[in-house]
């Protein structure tokens, strides 16, 4: 029955491609989370009216974030090929996709972090400052905890984008479900492989969204 429905599908290939997609999404997601928090905090703190208002720094960072956020991902991968080859030593495989995934997603998440931080009640920030809170205390005990629902919601959206990015990276040899759908499905005209790879990507996206929604609802005390 299974073989008649999916005559060209090999389960070991599907499993290996799924693991590669999860690997790329997880590692790039962790790096994106850390970089996005740092960039988002810097944008928030140096913005007009921020605690450390620095117009020049804010404008420069905004330009960099906007540029990398605006470049279509498939073009960004190609642009970063020399950098990827110098850093990883190859442009093929799941590891080779990581630099482009991180560079493409971190600026996107940084803007979501900045938006989330702006939603923090200014009264809470001022109260903390009036009590003499240091910058580290303000960041780790006020800003990040108070904005945690927005931060989790933002990383959920970013992880889903990373799954999509990893599928695009697969077209140029990064591996994963995108690579399986393109090489084994599209180029060999095996529509059953393309269908199953697409369904697997959707399943991963639905699981990420479900977990993100659950964690966000647990953190949101409003």
């Amino acid at each position: 029955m299974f073989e008649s429905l999916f005559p060209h599908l090999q389960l070991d290939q599907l499993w290996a491609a799924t693991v590669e997609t999860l690997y790329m999404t997880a590692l790039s997601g962790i790096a994106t989370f850390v970089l996005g928090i740092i960039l988002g905090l810097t944008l928030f703190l140096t913005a007009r009216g921020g605690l450390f208002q620095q117009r020049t720094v804010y404008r420069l960072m905004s330009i960099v974030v906007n540029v990398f956020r605006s470049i279509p991902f498939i073009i960004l991968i190609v642009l970063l090929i020399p950098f990827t080859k110098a850093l990883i030593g190859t442009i093929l495989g799941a590891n080779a996709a990581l630099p482009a995934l991180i560079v493409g997603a971190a600026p996107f998440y940084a803007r979501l972090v900045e938006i989330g931080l702006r939603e923090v009640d200014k009264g809470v920030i001022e109260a903390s400052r009036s009590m003499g809170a240091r910058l580290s205390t303000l960041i780790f005990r006020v800003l990040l905890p108070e904005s945690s629902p927005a931060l989790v919601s933002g990383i959920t959206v970013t992880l889903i984008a990373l799954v999509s990015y990893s599928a695009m990276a697969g077209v140029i040899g990064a591996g994963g479900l995108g690579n399986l759908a393109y090489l084994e499905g599209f180029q060999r005209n095996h529509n059953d492989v393309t269908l199953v790879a697409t369904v697997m990507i959707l399943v991963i996206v639905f699981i990420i969204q479900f977990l993100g929604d659950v964690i966000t609802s647990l953190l949101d005390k409003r």
Side-chain angles (χ1 to χ4, degrees):
M1 177 71 176
F2 183 82
E3 291 182 352
S4 62
L5 287 174
F6 308 104
H8 306 102
L9 182 66
Q10 297 182 28
L11 291 179
D12 57 339
Q13 278 188 336
L14 178 65
W15 173 249
T18 303
V19 170
E20 284 183 342
T21 294
L22 293 174
Y23 172 79
M24 288 187 283
T25 304
L27 282 192
S28 59
I30 292 170
T32 295
F33 180 77
V34 175
L35 285 174
I37 292 285
I38 294 171
L39 290 172
L41 272 170
T42 306
L43 285 168
F44 175 75
L45 293 172
T46 58
R48 184 178 182 183
L51 298 177
F52 301 97
Q53 180 175 320
Q54 288 288 336
R55 189 172 297 179
T56 304
V57 174
Y58 181 80
R59 284 182 177 174
L60 285 174
M61 287 195 63
S62 287
I63 290 171
V64 172
V65 166
N66 287 341
V67 166
F68 282 98
R69 198 172 56 135
S70 303
I71 299 174
F73 184 70
I74 196 69
I75 297 175
L76 182 65
I77 298 176
V78 176
L79 287 174
L80 290 178
I81 282 178
F83 173 72
T84 300
K85 194 168 184 178
L87 185 67
I88 308 295
T90 178
I91 61 170
L92 300 177
N95 286 329
L98 294 177
L101 290 172
I102 295 167
V103 171
F108 174 74
Y109 183 55
R111 280 297 185 199
L112 297 180
V113 171
E114 183 189 9
I115 293 170
L117 291 171
R118 284 180 180 172
E119 294 176 357
V120 176
D121 188 345
K122 286 184 171 54
V124 176
I125 298 175
E126 290 303 322
S128 301
R129 293 185 68 190
S130 65
M131 289 188 289
R134 294 181 299 179
L135 178 60
S136 58
T137 303
L138 194 62
I139 290 174
F140 293 107
R141 295 193 177 181
V142 178
L143 292 176
L144 295 182
E146 289 292 324
S147 61
S148 57
L151 300 184
V152 173
S153 180
I155 196 62
T156 302
V157 174
T158 307
L159 285 172
I160 290 172
L162 280 170
V163 174
S164 174
Y165 290 170
S166 72
M168 280 189 271
V171 174
I172 61 168
L177 291 165
N179 185 258
L180 179 70
Y182 180 71
L183 289 184
E184 298 295 328
F186 175 71
Q187 289 201 333
R188 297 187 179 185
N189 201 26
H190 295 164
N191 292 329
D192 56 326
V193 177
T194 305
L195 175 64
V196 174
T198 304
V199 170
M200 287 302 296
I201 290 172
L202 291 175
V203 169
I204 292 172
V205 168
F206 288 159
I207 291 174
I208 291 172
Q209 186 66 61
F210 173 76
L211 292 176
D213 289 343
V214 170
I215 296 172
T216 301
S217 63
L218 289 174
L219 292 172
D220 195 348
K221 305 300 182 186
R222 291 173 293 181

